[in-house]
Amino acid sequence: MQASTHAIPHPHVHEEHHEEAGFWSKYVFSTDHKVIGIQYGFTALCFLFFGFCLMLVMRWQIAHPGQPVPLVGPLLETLLGNMAAKGIVSNDLYNSFGAMHGTIMVFLAIVPLAFGAFGNYLVPLQIGAPDMAFPRVNMASYQFYVLGGVIMFFSFFIPGGAAQAGWTSYPPLAVAIPTDGQTFWLAGMVLLITSSLLGAVNFIATVIQLRAPGMTWMRLPFFVWAQFVTGFLLLLAFPPLEAAGVLQLMDKVAHTSFFLPTGLAVGGNLANVSGGGNPLLWQHLFWFLAHPEVYVLILPAMGIVSEIIANNTRKPLWGYKSLVYAVLTLGFLSFIVWAHHMYLTGMGTKIATFFQTTTMIISIPSVIILSCLFISLWGGSIRFNTPMLFVMAFLPMFGIGGLTGLPLGFSYSDIHLHDTYYVIAHFHYIVAPGTIFALFAGIYFWFPKATGRMMSEFWGQVHFWASLIFMNLIFQPMFAQGMAGMLRRMADGGANYSTAKVPDAIGGLSPHMMGLHTYILWAAVGLAFAQIPFIFNFFWSIHHGKPAGSDNPWNSTTLEWQTPTPPPHGNFATVPHVYRGPYEYSVPGHATDFTPQNQPD
Amino acid sequence: MDIPYTVEARPDTGLYNAKVGIWLFLASEVMLFGALFSTYILLRVGAPEGFWPHGWLNIPVGTVNTLVLITSSITTVMAWASLKMNQFGRFKFFHACTLCLALTFVGIKSYEYHDKFMHYEITLKDGRIADGHLVKRTADQVVISGHYVEDRKELFDLRAGGPPHEHTEITIPQAQIKKMENYGPWHTTYLAIYFTLTGLHALHVIGGAIVIGFLWGPGSKLWKTDPDRFTNRIEISGLFWHFVDLVWIFLFPVLYLL
Ligand code: HEM
Ligand SMILES: [Cu+2]
C-alpha cells in the first residue's frame, strides 16, 4: 500500500491481494467508490422500477375508477388486505401510492442514481483521484440509504399502509391521518437525509482535496462541476428538511403542535393538541429543501449530457466558462426561490413578488446552460449512437419542462395552474424525458468502462425511440388536462367534477379531457414495454456484449477513460498529471481528433 | 495509489481531508440548527399576546451549565495543545476533564428535564387551574406543591419581579379534575421547541462525548503508531465539540433569558 505512492514495484502482488478479499467485503461492505457507485446504481434502478409500477396501478385507477386492477389486483389484495379489497384500489391506497411514488422517485431513485451512482463512480476517476476522500463514510452513506429505503418499503405492509399525504407531506393532514405510515415516512426520510449529507461532505471534500496535479478548477470536466454544486445543494438544503422532519415526528409521536394551529378540528372534533403551531412553517422548511432538490435532480443530468455532447460532436463544449459560472449562479439562486411553490397559501403578495422576481432571475442561468449545450452541437460531425440520441432528446425535453415552468413562476398565472396536471406535466418533462433520459445516456455511455463490453446499439435505439414516443404521449396530454382545470391527487381522476356527473357545471371536465386518462394509461403501459429491451440489453451485455476493444472506446479526453478497464482498486497505477482542459477534441494539427487530459504537450 | 492528504495538508488548500470534511459537516449543522432557530422565531412571533412563556427555566442552573460547557471547550483545546507539545500524559488529563464536564452537563440537563416532567397544570371542573410540582398521586387524589390561578395567563410570565405566589401543598380529588397535563413538549409550543432544541443539542453532546471517550480510551493507541494522525483526530473532534458549545451559547439566552 505504502509503496504505491512511489513507483509501484510489485503491481501483481497488489492485485492478488485484492482478489483474495471475500465476497462480502468486496461487493457488500466495500469502500471502493466504484463498487459503491454500482451498488447505488443497482438499488436505485430497482426503486425506479418499483416507483414506476406504483404509477401504473394509479394510472389504471384513475382511468377506470373503482374497477379491479387487471393481473395484479389479486396480488395487491393478498399483500395489502383491505386497502385493495377485491383487487380494487381504495382511495387510501391511491393516496399512499401517490405519496410513495413521488417519494421513491425523488429520494430513492433519481437522486441516488444521478448523484450516488454516477457521481460516485465517475467523480474520483475524472479528477484523477484514487478514491473518495472518506471511503468508509462513503460506505456508510450507502448503508443509510438502504436502511431508509427498507423502512419506506416496509411501511406499505404495516396496518393502514404507507404515508398518504403526498411526497410534500403537508401538515396538519400528514399529522392528522391516524395511521403510522407517516411516522415511517419521517423516519425513512431522516435516514435518507443523513445518507445524502454524508455523501455531500464526501463529494465536496474529494473535489477540493483530491484533484490530481495539474487538475486546476477550470480544467475540471463539467460533470464534476455539476456534481460539486449538487453536493453543496444537498449539504445546505437538506438539513432544514431534517429539522422539519424531526419537528413533524415530534408532532406525530410526542404530540407537540409545531405545525398544528390553535382550534384544529379533525373529523369534526376539536383535536386534543396544545395548538399555537404554524402549518405554513412546514411548507417553508420543506420547499427550502425541495426547490434546491429539483436542481439536484437536474444538475447531474446536465453534467452527463455535457460529457456526451463534447465526446460525440468531437469538439469542445461551447462556452465552458459560461457553463461553470451559470451552474454556480444556479446553485446559489436555487436557495432563494422556494416560496414560488406557495403562492396560493396566503403568505402575502409582497413575499410573492420577491419570489416571482427571483424565480425569473433563476431561469437565466438555466437558459444559459441549455443554450451552451445547443450551440455546442453547431458545426459538429455528430455521431448518432444511443447515448447521443438520448442526449439529443434531453435538450428539447428539458426545454419544454423549463419553459412551461415560467407561467408557474408568476403568481397570477399560477392561480389557475397550481395543483393541476399542468404542474405534473411541467416537472415530469424535466425529470422523466429529461433527467431519466440523461441517466440512460450515461448508462449506455459508461457501460464499457465498468464492464469492458458495449451494450447493443440496435436494442439501444429501439429503447430510445419507443421511450421517446411514449414519454411524450404520457405527459403532453397532461398540459391540456391541467389547463382545463383537472386537479392532481384525485383518486377518481376527477370523475366527480366531470360533466358526465354534473352535466351543466361551469368548468366541469369534458368527456374528452376525462378520456385522455385512457390514452395516458396505455401510453404508460407502452413505456413499460419499451424498457424491456433496455433491461435485457443491460444484463445480457455484462457478459455477452461486444468487447469494447480498448480502454477508451469512444476516444474520449477525460481521465476516466485513461485507466485500465474496469478500473482497479485505487484507479490509477501512478498519479496522473493533467496538462490540458477537459475537451480538447479535434485540435488542429494534432494527429488524433482527441487529446487526453493527461497527455503531455 | 493511496488517498493523499489524509494526514499532511494539501499545499494549495492548506488543509488535510478530514478538516475540510468537518467544516463542511459543521456548515450543514449550522443549517440544521438555523432551521430550528427560525422555527423558534416564527412560533414566538405567532404566539398570542401574553402567551409566550417567560421565566419558566431556572437561570442559575442554566448559567452553571453554560460555564460547564465553556470550560470543556477550554480543556479540549488544552488536550490538543498537549499533543502538539508531545505531552501525552497531559492530554489524557485534560480530555478526562472534558469527558467529566460533558457528563456533568448531561446530568444537569436531565435534572432540568425531570423538573419539567414533574410539573403539572391541572384544570379543575370549576374552572380554576392548579399548577405545581407533583408530590403524590393516588387513585382518588392528587397532591401538588403549587398554587391556584384564576386566569391561565398568569402562568405564562414567571420572571422575577412579577406578582409573587406562594407554594403550598394542595390536595385535589380526582373527581374534580378535568384535565391534568405535565410540562412536557406537548404542553405548549414553547416547551415543544425547548425540548426539541435542547434534546437535539444533548444528542450532539452525547455523540461528541462518545467520540472523545473513544479517542481518550482505546482510540489513543494510535498515538504510538501514528501521532500526527491521532493529533488530527483530536483536532477534528475538538472542532465538533466547539460547535456544540457554540450552539449552546445561542440556546441559553434564547430559551432562558429572552
Ligand atoms: C427553469 C425554470 C423553472 C421554473 C420557472 C419553475 C417553476 C416552478 C413553479 C413556480 C412550480 C410550482 C407550481 C405550483 O405548484 O403551482 C414548480 C413546480 C415544480 N417544479 Fe419547476 N420550475 C423550473 C424548473 C424546474 C426543474 C429544473 C425541476 C426539476 C428537475 C422542476 C421540478 C419541479 C417540481 C418537482 C415541481 C412540483 C412540486 C410539487 O408540487 O409536487 N422545476 N416549478
Ligand atoms: Cu421550485
Side-chain angles (χ1 to χ4, degrees), chain A residues 1 4 130 132 134-135 201 204 209-211 235-236 239-240 247 250 254-258 274-275 278 281 288 570 572, chain B residues 1-5 10 13 15-18 20-21 24 28 31-32 35-36 39 42-43 185-187 189 192-193 196:
Chain A
M1 281 284 181
S4 56
M132 282 286 190
F134 313 112
V201 168
I204 301 172
Q209 289 290 101
L210 301 191
R211 280 167 294 120
L235 184 78
L236 301 177
L247 298 180
M250 291 287 286
H255 306 290
T256 54
S257 295
F258 286 112
S274 76
N278 185 343
L281 172 62
F288 186 84
F572 299 89
Chain B
M1 253 169 86
D2 275 339
I3 298 169
Y5 312 120
R10 181 182 163 113
T13 62
L15 301 165
Y16 54 91
N17 295 344
V20 177
L24 290 168
S28 88
M31 295 303 286
L32 178 72
L36 291 171
T39 303
L42 249 103
L43 291 174
W186 40 81
H187 184 264
T189 47
I193 193 73
T196 310

Side-chain angles (χ1 to χ4, degrees), chain A residues 167 287 294 340-341 359 405 408-409 414 418 423 426-427 430 488:
Chain A
W167 81 288
W287 288 114
V294 308
H340 65 206
H341 296 269
T359 303
L408 298 174
D414 191 47
H418 177 69
V423 177
H426 151 67
F427 68 77
I430 294 172
R488 58 197 281 204

